[in-house]
Coordinates of all heavy atoms in Angstrom, one line a residue:
A1 N 33.9 -33.5 213.8 CA 34.0 -34.6 214.8 C 33.9 -35.9 214.1 O 34.5 -36.9 214.6 CB 33.0 -34.4 215.9
F2 N 33.0 -36.0 213.1 CA 32.7 -37.3 212.5 C 33.4 -37.4 211.1 O 33.1 -38.4 210.4 CB 31.2 -37.5 212.4 CG 30.6 -37.8 213.7 CD1 30.1 -36.7 214.4 CD2 30.5 -39.0 214.2 CE1 29.5 -36.9 215.7 CE2 29.9 -39.3 215.4 CZ 29.4 -38.2 216.2
S3 N 34.2 -36.5 210.7 CA 34.9 -36.4 209.4 C 33.8 -36.6 208.3 O 34.0 -37.3 207.3 CB 35.9 -37.6 209.3 OG 36.9 -37.5 210.2
L4 N 32.7 -35.8 208.4 CA 31.7 -35.7 207.4 C 32.1 -34.7 206.3 O 32.0 -33.5 206.6 CB 30.3 -35.4 208.0 CG 29.2 -35.2 207.0 CD1 28.9 -36.6 206.3 CD2 27.9 -34.7 207.7
T5 N 32.6 -35.2 205.2 CA 33.2 -34.3 204.2 C 32.6 -34.7 202.8 O 32.0 -35.8 202.7 CB 34.7 -34.4 204.1 OG1 35.0 -35.8 203.7 CG2 35.4 -34.1 205.4
F6 N 32.7 -33.8 201.9 CA 32.4 -34.0 200.5 C 33.5 -33.6 199.6 O 34.3 -32.7 200.0 CB 31.1 -33.3 200.1 CG 31.3 -31.8 200.1 CD1 31.5 -31.1 198.8 CD2 31.2 -31.0 201.2 CE1 31.7 -29.8 198.8 CE2 31.4 -29.6 201.2 CZ 31.7 -29.0 199.9
K7 N 33.7 -34.2 198.4 CA 34.7 -33.8 197.5 C 34.1 -32.7 196.5 O 33.0 -32.9 196.0 CB 35.2 -35.0 196.7 CG 36.0 -35.9 197.5 CD 36.6 -37.0 196.7 CE 37.5 -38.0 197.5 NZ 36.7 -38.7 198.5
D8 N 34.7 -31.6 196.5 CA 34.2 -30.5 195.6 C 34.6 -30.8 194.1 O 35.1 -31.9 193.8 CB 34.8 -29.1 196.0 CG 36.3 -29.0 195.8 OD1 36.9 -29.9 195.1 OD2 36.9 -28.0 196.3
E9 N 34.3 -29.9 193.2 CA 34.5 -30.2 191.8 C 35.9 -30.5 191.4 O 36.2 -31.1 190.4 CB 33.9 -29.0 191.0 CG 32.4 -28.9 191.1 CD 31.9 -27.7 190.4 OE1 32.7 -27.0 189.6 OE2 30.7 -27.4 190.5
Q10 N 36.9 -30.0 192.2 CA 38.3 -30.3 192.0 C 38.8 -31.5 192.7 O 40.0 -31.9 192.7 CB 39.1 -29.1 192.4 CG 39.1 -27.9 191.5 CD 37.7 -27.2 191.6 OE1 37.2 -26.9 192.7 NE2 37.2 -26.9 190.4
G11 N 37.8 -32.2 193.4 CA 38.2 -33.4 194.2 C 38.8 -33.2 195.5 O 39.3 -34.1 196.1
V12 N 38.7 -31.9 196.0 CA 39.2 -31.6 197.3 C 38.2 -31.9 198.4 O 37.0 -31.5 198.3 CB 39.7 -30.1 197.4 CG1 40.2 -29.7 198.8 CG2 40.7 -29.8 196.3
A13 N 38.5 -32.5 199.5 CA 37.6 -32.9 200.6 C 37.4 -31.6 201.4 O 38.3 -30.9 201.8 CB 38.2 -34.0 201.4
K14 N 36.1 -31.3 201.7 CA 35.7 -30.2 202.5 C 34.6 -30.6 203.5 O 33.8 -31.5 203.2 CB 35.2 -29.0 201.6 CG 36.2 -28.4 200.7 CD 35.7 -27.3 199.9 CE 36.8 -26.6 199.1 NZ 36.2 -25.5 198.3
P15 N 34.6 -30.0 204.6 CA 33.6 -30.3 205.6 C 32.2 -29.8 205.3 O 32.1 -28.8 204.6 CB 34.1 -29.6 206.9 CG 34.9 -28.5 206.4 CD 35.5 -28.9 205.2
V16 N 31.2 -30.6 205.6 CA 29.8 -30.2 205.4 C 29.4 -29.2 206.4 O 29.7 -29.2 207.6 CB 28.9 -31.5 205.4 CG1 27.4 -31.1 205.3 CG2 29.3 -32.5 204.4
I17 N 28.6 -28.1 205.9 CA 28.1 -27.1 206.8 C 26.7 -27.5 207.2 O 25.8 -27.9 206.4 CB 28.0 -25.7 206.0 CG1 29.3 -25.4 205.4 CG2 27.5 -24.7 207.0 CD1 30.4 -25.2 206.3
M18 N 26.4 -27.5 208.5 CA 25.2 -28.1 209.1 C 24.3 -27.0 209.8 O 24.8 -26.0 210.2 CB 25.5 -29.2 210.0 CG 26.1 -30.5 209.4 SD 26.5 -31.7 210.6 CE 25.0 -32.0 211.5
G19 N 23.1 -27.3 209.9 CA 22.1 -26.5 210.7 C 21.1 -27.4 211.4 O 20.9 -28.6 211.0
S20 N 20.5 -26.9 212.5 CA 19.6 -27.7 213.3 C 18.4 -26.9 213.5 O 18.5 -25.7 213.9 CB 20.2 -28.1 214.6 OG 19.3 -28.8 215.4
Y21 N 17.1 -27.5 213.5 CA 15.9 -26.7 213.5 C 14.8 -27.5 214.3 O 14.4 -28.6 213.8 CB 15.4 -26.4 212.1 CG 16.5 -26.0 211.1 CD1 17.4 -26.9 210.6 CD2 16.7 -24.6 210.8 CE1 18.4 -26.5 209.7 CE2 17.7 -24.2 210.0 CZ 18.6 -25.2 209.4 OH 19.6 -24.8 208.6
G22 N 14.4 -27.0 215.4 CA 13.5 -27.8 216.3 C 12.2 -27.1 216.6 O 12.1 -25.9 216.8
I23 N 11.2 -27.9 216.8 CA 9.9 -27.5 217.3 C 9.3 -28.7 218.1 O 9.4 -29.8 217.7 CB 8.9 -27.2 216.2 CG1 9.3 -26.0 215.4 CG2 7.5 -26.9 216.8 CD1 8.3 -25.6 214.2
G24 N 8.8 -28.4 219.3 CA 8.1 -29.4 220.1 C 6.6 -29.3 219.9 O 6.0 -28.4 220.4
P25 N 6.0 -30.3 219.2 CA 4.5 -30.2 219.0 C 3.7 -30.2 220.3 O 2.7 -29.4 220.4 CB 4.2 -31.4 218.2 CG 5.5 -31.7 217.5 CD 6.6 -31.4 218.4
G26 N 4.1 -31.0 221.3 CA 3.4 -30.9 222.6 C 3.6 -29.6 223.3 O 2.6 -29.1 223.9
R27 N 4.8 -29.1 223.2 CA 5.0 -27.8 223.8 C 4.2 -26.7 223.2 O 3.6 -25.8 223.9 CB 6.5 -27.4 223.7 CG 6.9 -26.2 224.4 CD 8.4 -26.0 224.3 NE 8.9 -24.8 224.9 CZ 9.3 -24.7 226.2 NH1 9.2 -25.8 226.9 NH2 9.7 -23.6 226.7
V28 N 4.1 -26.8 221.9 CA 3.2 -25.8 221.1 C 1.7 -26.0 221.5 O 1.0 -25.0 221.7 CB 3.4 -26.0 219.6 CG1 2.3 -25.2 218.9 CG2 4.8 -25.5 219.2
M29 N 1.3 -27.2 221.7 CA -0.1 -27.5 222.1 C -0.4 -26.8 223.5 O -1.4 -26.2 223.7 CB -0.3 -29.0 222.2 CG -1.7 -29.5 222.6 SD -1.8 -31.3 222.4 CE -3.3 -31.6 223.3
G30 N 0.6 -27.0 224.4 CA 0.4 -26.4 225.7 C 0.4 -24.8 225.6 O -0.4 -24.2 226.3
T31 N 1.2 -24.3 224.7 CA 1.3 -22.8 224.6 C 0.0 -22.3 224.0 O -0.5 -21.3 224.4 CB 2.5 -22.5 223.6 OG1 3.7 -22.9 224.2 CG2 2.6 -21.0 223.5
I32 N -0.6 -23.0 223.0 CA -1.9 -22.6 222.5 C -2.9 -22.6 223.6 O -3.7 -21.6 223.6 CB -2.3 -23.6 221.4 CG1 -1.4 -23.5 220.1 CG2 -3.8 -23.4 221.0 CD1 -1.6 -24.5 219.1
V33 N -3.0 -23.6 224.4 CA -3.9 -23.6 225.5 C -3.7 -22.4 226.5 O -4.7 -21.7 226.9 CB -3.9 -24.9 226.3 CG1 -4.8 -24.9 227.5 CG2 -4.3 -26.1 225.4
E34 N -2.5 -22.1 226.8 CA -2.1 -21.0 227.7 C -2.6 -19.7 227.1 O -3.2 -18.8 227.8 CB -0.6 -20.9 227.9 CG -0.1 -22.0 228.8 CD -0.4 -21.9 230.3 OE1 -0.8 -20.8 230.7 OE2 -0.2 -22.9 231.0
L35 N -2.4 -19.5 225.8 CA -2.7 -18.3 225.1 C -4.2 -18.1 224.8 O -4.7 -17.0 224.9 CB -1.9 -18.2 223.8 CG -0.6 -17.5 223.7 CD1 0.0 -17.5 222.3 CD2 -0.7 -16.1 224.3
L36 N -4.9 -19.1 224.3 CA -6.2 -19.0 223.7 C -7.3 -19.5 224.6 O -8.5 -19.4 224.2 CB -6.2 -19.7 222.4 CG -5.1 -19.2 221.4 CD1 -5.3 -20.0 220.1 CD2 -5.2 -17.7 221.1
S37 N -7.1 -19.9 225.8 CA -8.2 -20.3 226.7 C -8.8 -19.1 227.3 O -8.3 -18.0 227.3 CB -7.6 -21.3 227.8 OG -6.6 -20.6 228.5
D38 N -10.0 -19.3 227.8 CA -10.7 -18.2 228.6 C -11.2 -18.8 229.9 O -10.9 -19.9 230.3 CB -11.9 -17.6 227.7 CG -12.9 -18.6 227.3 OD1 -13.0 -19.7 227.9 OD2 -13.7 -18.3 226.4
E39 N -12.1 -18.0 230.6 CA -12.5 -18.5 231.9 C -13.4 -19.7 231.8 O -13.6 -20.4 232.8 CB -13.3 -17.3 232.6 CG -14.7 -17.0 232.0 CD -14.6 -16.1 230.7 OE1 -13.5 -15.7 230.3 OE2 -15.7 -15.9 230.1
K40 N -13.9 -20.1 230.6 CA -14.8 -21.3 230.5 C -14.0 -22.5 230.1 O -14.5 -23.6 230.4 CB -15.8 -21.0 229.4 CG -16.8 -19.9 229.8 CD -17.8 -19.6 228.7 CE -18.7 -18.5 229.0 NZ -19.7 -18.2 227.8
G41 N -12.8 -22.3 229.5 CA -12.1 -23.5 229.1 C -11.2 -23.2 227.9 O -10.7 -22.1 227.7
I42 N -10.9 -24.2 227.1 CA -10.0 -24.1 226.0 C -10.7 -23.5 224.8 O -11.9 -23.7 224.6 CB -9.4 -25.5 225.6 CG1 -8.7 -26.1 226.8 CG2 -8.5 -25.5 224.4 CD1 -8.4 -27.6 226.7
V43 N -9.9 -22.8 223.9 CA -10.4 -22.2 222.7 C -9.5 -22.7 221.6 O -8.5 -22.0 221.3 CB -10.6 -20.7 222.7 CG1 -11.2 -20.2 221.4 CG2 -11.4 -20.3 223.9
W44 N -9.8 -23.8 220.9 CA -8.8 -24.3 219.9 C -9.0 -23.5 218.6 O -10.1 -23.3 218.1 CB -9.1 -25.8 219.6 CG -8.8 -26.7 220.7 CD1 -9.7 -27.5 221.4 CD2 -7.5 -27.0 221.2 NE1 -9.1 -28.2 222.3 CE2 -7.7 -28.0 222.3 CE3 -6.2 -26.6 221.0 CZ2 -6.7 -28.5 223.0 CZ3 -5.2 -27.1 221.7 CH2 -5.4 -28.1 222.7
P45 N -7.8 -23.2 218.0 CA -7.9 -22.7 216.6 C -8.4 -23.8 215.7 O -8.2 -25.0 216.0 CB -6.4 -22.3 216.2 CG -5.7 -22.4 217.5 CD -6.5 -23.2 218.5
E46 N -9.2 -23.4 214.7 CA -9.8 -24.4 213.8 C -8.7 -25.4 213.2 O -9.0 -26.5 212.9 CB -10.6 -23.8 212.7 CG -11.5 -24.7 212.0 CD -12.7 -24.1 211.4 OE1 -13.1 -23.0 211.8 OE2 -13.3 -24.7 210.4

């Protein structure tokens, strides 16, 4: 879509191969509380 290319060793233009990798720190924080709390409150991993 953006014509993001590179020239290979023969000078031929080729498209770049991409990947995407996500983590939500706040979402993880909430998940830790859901998983590791008890009837008294939160139990944080050290």
Side-chain angles (χ1 to χ4, degrees):
F2 289 90
S3 300
L4 178 63
T5 62
F6 69 96
K7 292 184 177 67
D8 67 11
E9 295 179 4
Q10 286 72 46
V12 177
K14 293 184 176 179
V16 175
I17 309 295
M18 292 176 55
S20 175
Y21 315 79
I23 296 179
R27 186 177 180 88
V28 169
M29 180 173 167
T31 302
I32 290 170
V33 174
E34 292 283 348
L35 267 183
L36 303 182
S37 59
D38 60 19
E39 70 281 356
K40 297 178 181 178
I42 302 168
V43 182
W44 292 114
E46 193 156 339

